[in-house]
Amino acid sequence: VLNDVYQIRLRKDKEEQRIVVKKFRDWHGFKWFPLALWTVGTKVFAVLGQSRLEREYAINQFLNNKGFPVPKVLYISPQEGLIFEEFIDGENLVSVIKRIFSSKRKQATADVALVKEVGKKIAEAHRLGVAFGDCKPENILVTKEGKPYFVDLEQATRDGNQAWDVAEFLYYSGHYVFPLSSTDVVEFITRNFIEGYLEGGGKKETVKSAGSPRYTKVFGIFTPPHVILAISNLCRKVNDI
């Protein structure tokens, strides 16, 4: 609702190219105002369309120049609030998370490895001084080659809140667990993500902060309490992982 998003198909002879076009709009009172109340004291979101466009372009260009997996920017029109980006043909990480929850651990080895790789990549971005700001699984696409791409960077910043990225990814992932399930698989996913994050150079202090009440209170409205508790406990005990 916040942005208009289009997919354009270009054909020449037998070749086809797909492009994603986003038009950034201002919605002061529709979506971001409730989000601002929801995260008050924890996270501040960029509201203006121009600000979000600038962030998406600047961080995308910065990360792309560093070889980080983000879509290439093909064209930008600040006056029209438009950005044209490379189309990434991949599976949404939400599908991967759901598969892990619905299967036994040993049957989800490849999917869990993807979660660990995502942890490494988030740590890599953090080492570059970038915080995504909206690091939920649905903003990560996995190609057929198993390479994760990070999309929708309109809330990303330099020197931002990196603990929020870790917290949002983990607690938002916990949102997809079956309500009455045990926390075994949740803890399994969390451990692998944290291991990947630390292997990628992420700081233990960042993980530990993600387990604090400052973040658990935000996600408690849609992630089951026992799942929130299991994830936060592992984050706080990061020195034991």
Side-chain angles (χ1 to χ4, degrees):
V1 175
L2 190 63
N3 301 318
D4 292 333
V5 183
Y6 305 91
Q7 182 186 144
I8 297 177
R9 293 174 179 262
L10 305 175
R11 292 188 179 89
K12 183 178 180 180
D13 299 328
K14 295 183 178 180
E15 295 184 2
E16 181 182 272
Q17 181 183 9
R18 285 185 283 178
I19 296 173
V20 173
V21 182
K22 293 176 66 176
K23 182 172 179 63
F24 293 79
R25 299 184 178 277
D26 293 331
W27 290 89
H28 297 283
F30 190 75
K31 176 181 176 181
W32 294 109
F33 179 67
L35 279 177
L37 292 178
W38 170 52
T39 61
V40 64
T42 302
K43 168 68 178 173
V44 177
F45 288 96
V47 177
L48 296 177
Q50 185 72 17
S51 299
R52 301 195 323 272
L53 172 61
E54 291 171 356
R55 290 186 179 195
E56 175 126 3
Y57 176 72
I59 298 298
N60 192 297
Q61 291 291 85
F62 174 77
L63 290 176
N64 186 60
N65 289 336
K66 297 294 183 180
F68 194 86
V70 293
K72 293 179 182 178
V73 174
L74 305 175
Y75 180 76
I76 181 172
S77 174
Q79 296 80 8
E80 298 294 333
L82 294 171
I83 190 168
F84 293 68
E85 295 180 345
E86 170 190 20
F87 174 83
I88 302 300
D89 190 4
E91 179 184 29
N92 196 288
L93 193 67
V94 171
S95 299
V96 175
I97 297 292
K98 288 181 176 180
R99 274 204 305 272
I100 298 173
F101 283 137
S102 62
S103 65
K104 296 180 180 179
R105 293 187 191 181
K106 294 181 180 179
Q107 297 174 343
T109 304
D111 288 335
V112 172
L114 276 175
V115 173
K116 191 170 185 176
E117 179 63 20
V118 166
K120 289 182 181 179
K121 285 299 178 183
I122 293 175
E124 182 180 328
H126 286 179
R127 285 192 289 108
L128 291 171
V130 171
F132 290 104
D134 196 6
C135 200
K136 54 184 179 286
E138 65 186 58
N139 286 339
I140 301 170
L141 299 175
V142 182
T143 64
K144 293 180 180 179
E145 296 74 30
K147 184 177 181 179
Y149 274 79
F150 292 73
V151 301
D152 290 336
L153 304 178
E154 63 188 72
Q155 296 296 332
T157 58
R158 299 290 300 275
D159 302 320
N161 188 342
Q162 298 181 352
W164 169 268
D165 286 349
V166 174
E168 184 179 22
F169 181 88
L170 290 175
Y171 297 130
Y172 211 99
S173 296
H175 166 69
Y176 297 104
V177 72
F178 299 112
L180 299 179
S181 299
S182 71
T183 60
D184 289 350
V185 180
V186 173
E187 292 172 354
F188 184 54
I189 290 176
T190 302
R191 284 182 181 276
N192 277 273
F193 174 86
I194 293 175
E195 288 175 3
Y197 184 78
L198 297 178
E199 288 177 14
K203 298 178 181 178
K204 288 186 176 181
E205 292 79 8
T206 302
V207 177
K208 189 175 293 185
S209 295
S212 70
R214 180 184 182 189
Y215 300 99
T216 58
K217 69 176 184 179
V218 174
F219 297 95
I221 63 172
F222 58 86
T223 299
H226 68 295
V227 174
I228 291 280
L229 181 61
I231 295 172
S232 63
N233 282 341
L234 284 174
C235 288
R236 292 196 301 269
K237 297 176 181 177
V238 64
N239 291 327
D240 300 329
I241 294 179

Short mmCIF file of all heavy atoms in Angstrom, two decimals, residues 106-166:
data_model
loop_
_atom_site.label_atom_id
_atom_site.label_comp_id
_atom_site.label_asym_id
_atom_site.label_seq_id
_atom_site.Cartn_x
_atom_site.Cartn_y
_atom_site.Cartn_z
N LYS A 106 16.57 -32.70 10.60
CA LYS A 106 17.48 -33.39 9.68
C LYS A 106 17.02 -33.29 8.23
O LYS A 106 17.80 -33.46 7.31
CB LYS A 106 17.60 -34.86 10.09
CG LYS A 106 18.28 -35.06 11.44
CD LYS A 106 18.40 -36.53 11.79
CE LYS A 106 19.07 -36.72 13.14
NZ LYS A 106 19.18 -38.15 13.52
N GLN A 107 15.73 -33.02 8.03
CA GLN A 107 15.20 -32.92 6.68
C GLN A 107 15.31 -31.50 6.12
O GLN A 107 14.99 -31.26 4.97
CB GLN A 107 13.72 -33.35 6.68
CG GLN A 107 13.52 -34.82 7.06
CD GLN A 107 12.05 -35.18 7.19
OE1 GLN A 107 11.19 -34.31 7.29
NE2 GLN A 107 11.76 -36.48 7.17
N ALA A 108 15.77 -30.59 6.94
CA ALA A 108 15.83 -29.18 6.53
C ALA A 108 17.26 -28.65 6.51
O ALA A 108 17.48 -27.46 6.68
CB ALA A 108 14.96 -28.34 7.45
N THR A 109 18.22 -29.54 6.30
CA THR A 109 19.63 -29.15 6.37
C THR A 109 19.97 -28.01 5.42
O THR A 109 20.60 -27.02 5.82
CB THR A 109 20.54 -30.35 6.05
OG1 THR A 109 20.22 -31.42 6.94
CG2 THR A 109 22.00 -29.98 6.23
N ALA A 110 19.55 -28.12 4.16
CA ALA A 110 19.86 -27.09 3.17
C ALA A 110 19.19 -25.77 3.52
O ALA A 110 19.80 -24.70 3.38
CB ALA A 110 19.44 -27.55 1.78
N ASP A 111 17.96 -25.83 4.00
CA ASP A 111 17.24 -24.61 4.34
C ASP A 111 17.87 -23.92 5.55
O ASP A 111 17.99 -22.69 5.60
CB ASP A 111 15.76 -24.92 4.63
CG ASP A 111 14.99 -25.27 3.37
OD1 ASP A 111 15.41 -24.84 2.29
OD2 ASP A 111 13.98 -25.97 3.48
N VAL A 112 18.29 -24.71 6.53
CA VAL A 112 18.93 -24.14 7.72
C VAL A 112 20.27 -23.50 7.33
O VAL A 112 20.66 -22.46 7.87
CB VAL A 112 19.13 -25.21 8.80
CG1 VAL A 112 19.96 -24.67 9.96
CG2 VAL A 112 17.78 -25.69 9.33
N ALA A 113 20.96 -24.13 6.39
CA ALA A 113 22.23 -23.57 5.90
C ALA A 113 21.99 -22.19 5.28
O ALA A 113 22.84 -21.29 5.40
CB ALA A 113 22.87 -24.50 4.89
N LEU A 114 20.85 -22.01 4.65
CA LEU A 114 20.50 -20.71 4.07
C LEU A 114 20.32 -19.66 5.17
O LEU A 114 20.77 -18.51 5.03
CB LEU A 114 19.21 -20.81 3.25
CG LEU A 114 19.35 -21.30 1.82
CD1 LEU A 114 17.96 -21.46 1.20
CD2 LEU A 114 20.17 -20.31 1.00
N VAL A 115 19.65 -20.05 6.25
CA VAL A 115 19.46 -19.13 7.38
C VAL A 115 20.81 -18.72 7.96
O VAL A 115 21.04 -17.55 8.28
CB VAL A 115 18.58 -19.78 8.46
CG1 VAL A 115 18.52 -18.89 9.71
CG2 VAL A 115 17.17 -20.02 7.93
N LYS A 116 21.71 -19.67 8.05
CA LYS A 116 23.05 -19.38 8.57
C LYS A 116 23.79 -18.43 7.64
O LYS A 116 24.47 -17.50 8.08
CB LYS A 116 23.84 -20.69 8.72
CG LYS A 116 25.13 -20.54 9.50
CD LYS A 116 25.73 -21.90 9.82
CE LYS A 116 26.95 -21.77 10.70
NZ LYS A 116 27.49 -23.10 11.09
N GLU A 117 23.64 -18.63 6.33
CA GLU A 117 24.28 -17.76 5.34
C GLU A 117 23.70 -16.35 5.41
O GLU A 117 24.43 -15.36 5.27
CB GLU A 117 24.08 -18.33 3.93
CG GLU A 117 24.69 -17.51 2.81
CD GLU A 117 26.19 -17.40 2.89
OE1 GLU A 117 26.84 -18.24 3.56
OE2 GLU A 117 26.74 -16.46 2.28
N VAL A 118 22.40 -16.25 5.63
CA VAL A 118 21.77 -14.93 5.79
C VAL A 118 22.35 -14.21 7.01
O VAL A 118 22.62 -13.01 6.97
CB VAL A 118 20.24 -15.06 5.90
CG1 VAL A 118 19.61 -13.75 6.39
CG2 VAL A 118 19.64 -15.45 4.56
N GLY A 119 22.56 -14.96 8.08
CA GLY A 119 23.19 -14.38 9.27
C GLY A 119 24.56 -13.82 8.95
O GLY A 119 24.93 -12.72 9.39
N LYS A 120 25.33 -14.56 8.15
CA LYS A 120 26.66 -14.09 7.74
C LYS A 120 26.57 -12.81 6.93
O LYS A 120 27.36 -11.87 7.12
CB LYS A 120 27.37 -15.17 6.91
CG LYS A 120 27.82 -16.38 7.68
CD LYS A 120 28.55 -17.36 6.76
CE LYS A 120 29.00 -18.60 7.51
NZ LYS A 120 29.69 -19.56 6.61
N LYS A 121 25.61 -12.77 6.01
CA LYS A 121 25.47 -11.60 5.14
C LYS A 121 25.03 -10.36 5.92
O LYS A 121 25.48 -9.25 5.64
CB LYS A 121 24.49 -11.91 4.01
CG LYS A 121 25.06 -12.82 2.93
CD LYS A 121 26.28 -12.16 2.27
CE LYS A 121 26.92 -13.03 1.23
NZ LYS A 121 28.14 -12.39 0.68
N ILE A 122 24.14 -10.55 6.87
CA ILE A 122 23.71 -9.41 7.69
C ILE A 122 24.91 -8.88 8.48
O ILE A 122 25.11 -7.66 8.59
CB ILE A 122 22.56 -9.81 8.62
CG1 ILE A 122 21.30 -10.11 7.79
CG2 ILE A 122 22.28 -8.72 9.65
CD1 ILE A 122 20.14 -10.63 8.60
N ALA A 123 25.73 -9.79 9.01
CA ALA A 123 26.93 -9.37 9.73
C ALA A 123 27.89 -8.63 8.79
O ALA A 123 28.53 -7.65 9.20
CB ALA A 123 27.63 -10.59 10.33
N GLU A 124 27.99 -9.10 7.56
CA GLU A 124 28.85 -8.44 6.57
C GLU A 124 28.40 -7.00 6.33
O GLU A 124 29.22 -6.07 6.28
CB GLU A 124 28.84 -9.21 5.26
CG GLU A 124 29.74 -8.64 4.18
CD GLU A 124 29.70 -9.44 2.89
OE1 GLU A 124 29.50 -10.67 2.96
OE2 GLU A 124 29.87 -8.83 1.81
N ALA A 125 27.09 -6.81 6.19
CA ALA A 125 26.56 -5.46 6.00
C ALA A 125 26.83 -4.60 7.24
O ALA A 125 27.19 -3.42 7.13
CB ALA A 125 25.06 -5.51 5.71
N HIS A 126 26.67 -5.19 8.41
CA HIS A 126 26.93 -4.47 9.65
C HIS A 126 28.39 -4.05 9.76
O HIS A 126 28.70 -2.95 10.23
CB HIS A 126 26.53 -5.33 10.85
CG HIS A 126 25.05 -5.43 11.04
ND1 HIS A 126 24.47 -6.18 12.05
CD2 HIS A 126 24.02 -4.89 10.34
CE1 HIS A 126 23.15 -6.08 11.96
NE2 HIS A 126 22.86 -5.31 10.93
N ARG A 127 29.29 -4.90 9.30
CA ARG A 127 30.72 -4.54 9.32
C ARG A 127 31.01 -3.38 8.37
O ARG A 127 31.96 -2.63 8.57
CB ARG A 127 31.57 -5.75 8.95
CG ARG A 127 31.69 -6.77 10.07
CD ARG A 127 32.76 -7.81 9.80
NE ARG A 127 32.38 -8.74 8.74
CZ ARG A 127 32.92 -8.76 7.54
NH1 ARG A 127 33.86 -7.88 7.21
NH2 ARG A 127 32.53 -9.64 6.63
N LEU A 128 30.18 -3.25 7.34
CA LEU A 128 30.31 -2.12 6.41
C LEU A 128 29.64 -0.86 6.95
O LEU A 128 29.67 0.19 6.30
CB LEU A 128 29.70 -2.50 5.06
CG LEU A 128 30.44 -3.57 4.25
CD1 LEU A 128 29.60 -4.00 3.05
CD2 LEU A 128 31.80 -3.06 3.79
N GLY A 129 29.02 -0.99 8.13
CA GLY A 129 28.38 0.17 8.75
C GLY A 129 26.94 0.38 8.34
O GLY A 129 26.37 1.45 8.59
N VAL A 130 26.31 -0.63 7.73
CA VAL A 130 24.94 -0.52 7.25
C VAL A 130 23.98 -1.27 8.16
O VAL A 130 24.25 -2.41 8.56
CB VAL A 130 24.81 -1.06 5.81
CG1 VAL A 130 23.34 -1.14 5.38
CG2 VAL A 130 25.59 -0.19 4.84
N ALA A 131 22.88 -0.63 8.50
CA ALA A 131 21.77 -1.31 9.18
C ALA A 131 20.58 -1.29 8.24
O ALA A 131 20.25 -0.25 7.66
CB ALA A 131 21.42 -0.59 10.48
N PHE A 132 19.94 -2.44 8.03
CA PHE A 132 18.86 -2.55 7.04
C PHE A 132 17.59 -1.83 7.47
O PHE A 132 16.87 -1.29 6.63
CB PHE A 132 18.55 -4.01 6.76
CG PHE A 132 19.64 -4.71 6.01
CD1 PHE A 132 20.50 -5.60 6.66
CD2 PHE A 132 19.84 -4.50 4.66
CE1 PHE A 132 21.52 -6.24 5.98
CE2 PHE A 132 20.84 -5.13 3.96
CZ PHE A 132 21.70 -6.00 4.63
N GLY A 133 17.28 -1.86 8.74
CA GLY A 133 16.09 -1.15 9.21
C GLY A 133 14.78 -1.89 8.99
O GLY A 133 13.82 -1.66 9.70
N ASP A 134 14.73 -2.77 8.00
CA ASP A 134 13.54 -3.59 7.74
C ASP A 134 14.02 -4.96 7.28
O ASP A 134 13.92 -5.32 6.11
CB ASP A 134 12.67 -2.93 6.68
CG ASP A 134 11.26 -3.52 6.65
OD1 ASP A 134 10.95 -4.36 7.51
OD2 ASP A 134 10.47 -3.17 5.75
N CYS A 135 14.54 -5.71 8.25
CA CYS A 135 15.30 -6.93 7.95
C CYS A 135 14.48 -8.19 8.16
O CYS A 135 14.99 -9.20 8.61
CB CYS A 135 16.55 -6.95 8.83
SG CYS A 135 17.86 -8.04 8.23
N LYS A 136 13.20 -8.13 7.85
CA LYS A 136 12.38 -9.33 8.01
C LYS A 136 12.62 -10.29 6.84
O LYS A 136 13.05 -9.88 5.76
CB LYS A 136 10.91 -8.97 8.14
CG LYS A 136 10.32 -8.10 7.05
CD LYS A 136 8.88 -7.75 7.38
CE LYS A 136 8.26 -6.85 6.32
NZ LYS A 136 8.76 -5.48 6.40
N PRO A 137 12.34 -11.59 7.03
CA PRO A 137 12.63 -12.60 6.00
C PRO A 137 12.01 -12.32 4.64
O PRO A 137 12.57 -12.69 3.61
CB PRO A 137 12.06 -13.89 6.61
CG PRO A 137 12.15 -13.68 8.08
CD PRO A 137 11.86 -12.22 8.28
N GLU A 138 10.85 -11.65 4.59
CA GLU A 138 10.19 -11.43 3.31
C GLU A 138 10.94 -10.42 2.43
O GLU A 138 10.64 -10.29 1.25
CB GLU A 138 8.75 -10.96 3.51
CG GLU A 138 8.59 -9.62 4.16
CD GLU A 138 7.13 -9.30 4.47
OE1 GLU A 138 6.50 -10.09 5.20
OE2 GLU A 138 6.65 -8.29 3.97
N ASN A 139 11.93 -9.73 3.00
CA ASN A 139 12.75 -8.81 2.22
C ASN A 139 14.06 -9.45 1.77
O ASN A 139 15.00 -8.74 1.39
CB ASN A 139 13.04 -7.54 3.03
CG ASN A 139 11.83 -6.64 3.13
OD1 ASN A 139 10.91 -6.73 2.32
ND2 ASN A 139 11.81 -5.78 4.13
N ILE A 140 14.10 -10.77 1.81
CA ILE A 140 15.29 -11.51 1.36
C ILE A 140 14.84 -12.57 0.35
O ILE A 140 13.93 -13.35 0.62
CB ILE A 140 16.00 -12.19 2.55
CG1 ILE A 140 16.42 -11.13 3.58
CG2 ILE A 140 17.22 -12.97 2.07
CD1 ILE A 140 16.93 -11.70 4.88
N LEU A 141 15.46 -12.57 -0.82
CA LEU A 141 15.15 -13.54 -1.87
C LEU A 141 16.35 -14.46 -2.08
O LEU A 141 17.50 -14.01 -2.03
CB LEU A 141 14.83 -12.82 -3.19
CG LEU A 141 13.62 -11.87 -3.17
CD1 LEU A 141 13.50 -11.15 -4.51
CD2 LEU A 141 12.34 -12.65 -2.89
N VAL A 142 16.05 -15.73 -2.29
CA VAL A 142 17.11 -16.72 -2.51
C VAL A 142 17.03 -17.24 -3.94
O VAL A 142 16.00 -17.77 -4.35
CB VAL A 142 16.98 -17.90 -1.51
CG1 VAL A 142 18.12 -18.89 -1.72
CG2 VAL A 142 16.98 -17.39 -0.07
N THR A 143 18.11 -17.10 -4.70
CA THR A 143 18.13 -17.56 -6.09
C THR A 143 18.26 -19.07 -6.15
O THR A 143 18.51 -19.74 -5.14
CB THR A 143 19.31 -16.92 -6.85
OG1 THR A 143 20.55 -17.38 -6.27
CG2 THR A 143 19.25 -15.40 -6.77
N LYS A 144 18.13 -19.61 -7.35
CA LYS A 144 18.25 -21.06 -7.54
C LYS A 144 19.63 -21.56 -7.15
O LYS A 144 19.81 -22.73 -6.81
CB LYS A 144 17.95 -21.42 -9.00
CG LYS A 144 16.51 -21.18 -9.41
CD LYS A 144 16.29 -21.55 -10.87
CE LYS A 144 14.84 -21.30 -11.29
NZ LYS A 144 14.61 -21.62 -12.72
N GLU A 145 20.62 -20.67 -7.23
CA GLU A 145 21.99 -21.03 -6.86
C GLU A 145 22.21 -20.96 -5.35
O GLU A 145 23.31 -21.23 -4.87
CB GLU A 145 22.99 -20.10 -7.56
CG GLU A 145 23.02 -20.20 -9.08
CD GLU A 145 21.81 -19.56 -9.74
OE1 GLU A 145 21.26 -18.58 -9.16
OE2 GLU A 145 21.41 -20.02 -10.82
N GLY A 146 21.16 -20.59 -4.61
CA GLY A 146 21.27 -20.52 -3.16
C GLY A 146 21.89 -19.24 -2.64
O GLY A 146 22.37 -19.19 -1.50
N LYS A 147 21.87 -18.17 -3.45
CA LYS A 147 22.46 -16.90 -3.05
C LYS A 147 21.37 -15.96 -2.55
O LYS A 147 20.41 -15.68 -3.26
CB LYS A 147 23.18 -16.26 -4.23
CG LYS A 147 23.91 -14.97 -3.90
CD LYS A 147 24.66 -14.45 -5.12
CE LYS A 147 25.43 -13.18 -4.79
NZ LYS A 147 26.19 -12.68 -5.96
N PRO A 148 21.48 -15.48 -1.30
CA PRO A 148 20.46 -14.56 -0.77
C PRO A 148 20.68 -13.14 -1.26
O PRO A 148 21.81 -12.64 -1.28
CB PRO A 148 20.66 -14.66 0.75
CG PRO A 148 22.10 -15.02 0.92
CD PRO A 148 22.49 -15.84 -0.29
N TYR A 149 19.61 -12.49 -1.69
CA TYR A 149 19.64 -11.08 -2.09
C TYR A 149 18.76 -10.28 -1.15
O TYR A 149 17.67 -10.72 -0.78
CB TYR A 149 19.12 -10.91 -3.52
CG TYR A 149 20.17 -11.10 -4.59
CD1 TYR A 149 20.56 -12.37 -4.98
CD2 TYR A 149 20.77 -10.00 -5.21
CE1 TYR A 149 21.53 -12.55 -5.96
CE2 TYR A 149 21.73 -10.17 -6.20
CZ TYR A 149 22.11 -11.45 -6.56
OH TYR A 149 23.07 -11.62 -7.53
N PHE A 150 19.21 -9.09 -0.79
CA PHE A 150 18.47 -8.22 0.13
C PHE A 150 17.79 -7.12 -0.68
O PHE A 150 18.45 -6.37 -1.41
CB PHE A 150 19.42 -7.63 1.17
CG PHE A 150 19.95 -8.65 2.14
CD1 PHE A 150 20.92 -9.57 1.74
CD2 PHE A 150 19.46 -8.71 3.43
CE1 PHE A 150 21.40 -10.52 2.63
CE2 PHE A 150 19.94 -9.66 4.33
CZ PHE A 150 20.92 -10.57 3.92
N VAL A 151 16.47 -7.04 -0.57
CA VAL A 151 15.69 -6.08 -1.34
C VAL A 151 14.94 -5.14 -0.40
O VAL A 151 14.91 -5.35 0.81
CB VAL A 151 14.70 -6.80 -2.28
CG1 VAL A 151 15.45 -7.72 -3.25
CG2 VAL A 151 13.68 -7.63 -1.49
N ASP A 152 14.31 -4.11 -0.98
CA ASP A 152 13.55 -3.13 -0.20
C ASP A 152 14.42 -2.47 0.88
O ASP A 152 14.24 -2.71 2.08
CB ASP A 152 12.31 -3.77 0.42
CG ASP A 152 11.26 -4.11 -0.61
OD1 ASP A 152 11.27 -3.49 -1.69
OD2 ASP A 152 10.43 -5.00 -0.35
N LEU A 153 15.34 -1.64 0.44
CA LEU A 153 16.30 -1.01 1.35
C LEU A 153 15.90 0.41 1.74
O LEU A 153 16.74 1.21 2.15
CB LEU A 153 17.68 -0.98 0.69
CG LEU A 153 18.23 -2.34 0.25
CD1 LEU A 153 19.58 -2.18 -0.42
CD2 LEU A 153 18.33 -3.30 1.42
N GLU A 154 14.61 0.73 1.66
CA GLU A 154 14.18 2.10 1.89
C GLU A 154 14.28 2.56 3.34
O GLU A 154 14.18 3.75 3.62
CB GLU A 154 12.73 2.28 1.40
CG GLU A 154 11.73 1.43 2.13
CD GLU A 154 10.35 1.50 1.48
OE1 GLU A 154 10.19 0.93 0.39
OE2 GLU A 154 9.47 2.14 2.07
N GLN A 155 14.47 1.63 4.26
CA GLN A 155 14.67 2.00 5.67
C GLN A 155 16.13 1.82 6.11
O GLN A 155 16.45 2.00 7.28
CB GLN A 155 13.76 1.15 6.57
CG GLN A 155 12.28 1.38 6.36
CD GLN A 155 11.84 2.79 6.72
OE1 GLN A 155 12.44 3.45 7.57
NE2 GLN A 155 10.79 3.27 6.06
N ALA A 156 17.00 1.47 5.16
CA ALA A 156 18.40 1.22 5.49
C ALA A 156 19.16 2.52 5.71
O ALA A 156 18.86 3.54 5.10
CB ALA A 156 19.07 0.41 4.38
N THR A 157 20.15 2.48 6.61
CA THR A 157 20.95 3.67 6.93
C THR A 157 22.38 3.26 7.23
O THR A 157 22.68 2.10 7.52
CB THR A 157 20.40 4.42 8.16
OG1 THR A 157 20.38 3.52 9.28
CG2 THR A 157 19.00 4.96 7.91
N ARG A 158 23.27 4.26 7.17
CA ARG A 158 24.63 4.07 7.67
C ARG A 158 24.63 4.34 9.16
O ARG A 158 23.97 5.26 9.64
CB ARG A 158 25.60 5.03 6.96
CG ARG A 158 25.69 4.83 5.46
CD ARG A 158 26.40 3.52 5.10
NE ARG A 158 27.75 3.47 5.61
CZ ARG A 158 28.83 3.99 4.99
NH1 ARG A 158 28.67 4.61 3.83
NH2 ARG A 158 30.03 3.88 5.51
N ASP A 159 25.34 3.53 9.91
CA ASP A 159 25.46 3.70 11.36
C ASP A 159 24.11 3.67 12.06
O ASP A 159 23.87 4.42 13.02
CB ASP A 159 26.19 5.01 11.68
CG ASP A 159 27.57 5.07 11.04
OD1 ASP A 159 28.26 4.04 11.05
OD2 ASP A 159 27.95 6.15 10.54
N GLY A 160 23.21 2.80 11.60
CA GLY A 160 21.88 2.68 12.21
C GLY A 160 21.86 1.64 13.32
O GLY A 160 22.90 1.17 13.80
N ASN A 161 20.66 1.23 13.71
CA ASN A 161 20.47 0.30 14.82
C ASN A 161 20.61 -1.14 14.32
O ASN A 161 19.67 -1.73 13.80
CB ASN A 161 19.08 0.51 15.44
CG ASN A 161 18.89 -0.29 16.71
OD1 ASN A 161 19.61 -1.24 16.97
ND2 ASN A 161 17.90 0.10 17.50
N GLN A 162 21.79 -1.71 14.51
CA GLN A 162 22.06 -3.06 14.02
C GLN A 162 21.37 -4.13 14.87
O GLN A 162 21.00 -5.20 14.35
CB GLN A 162 23.56 -3.29 13.95
CG GLN A 162 24.26 -2.35 12.97
CD GLN A 162 25.75 -2.57 12.87
OE1 GLN A 162 26.34 -3.34 13.64
NE2 GLN A 162 26.39 -1.91 11.92
N ALA A 163 21.20 -3.87 16.14
CA ALA A 163 20.49 -4.83 17.01
C ALA A 163 19.05 -5.01 16.55
O ALA A 163 18.48 -6.10 16.66
CB ALA A 163 20.54 -4.36 18.46
N TRP A 164 18.45 -3.93 16.02
CA TRP A 164 17.09 -4.03 15.49
C TRP A 164 17.04 -5.04 14.35
O TRP A 164 16.09 -5.82 14.24
CB TRP A 164 16.59 -2.66 15.02
CG TRP A 164 15.32 -2.73 14.23
CD1 TRP A 164 15.20 -2.84 12.87
CD2 TRP A 164 13.98 -2.76 14.75
NE1 TRP A 164 13.87 -2.91 12.50
CE2 TRP A 164 13.11 -2.86 13.64
CE3 TRP A 164 13.45 -2.70 16.03
CZ2 TRP A 164 11.73 -2.91 13.79
CZ3 TRP A 164 12.07 -2.74 16.18
CH2 TRP A 164 11.22 -2.84 15.06
N ASP A 165 18.04 -5.05 13.47
CA ASP A 165 18.08 -5.99 12.35
C ASP A 165 18.04 -7.43 12.85
O ASP A 165 17.29 -8.26 12.34
CB ASP A 165 19.35 -5.78 11.52
CG ASP A 165 19.29 -4.54 10.66
OD1 ASP A 165 18.21 -3.93 10.54
OD2 ASP A 165 20.34 -4.18 10.08
N VAL A 166 18.89 -7.72 13.83
CA VAL A 166 18.95 -9.08 14.38
C VAL A 166 17.62 -9.44 15.05
O VAL A 166 17.07 -10.53 14.84
CB VAL A 166 20.11 -9.21 15.39
CG1 VAL A 166 20.08 -10.57 16.08
CG2 VAL A 166 21.46 -9.00 14.69
#
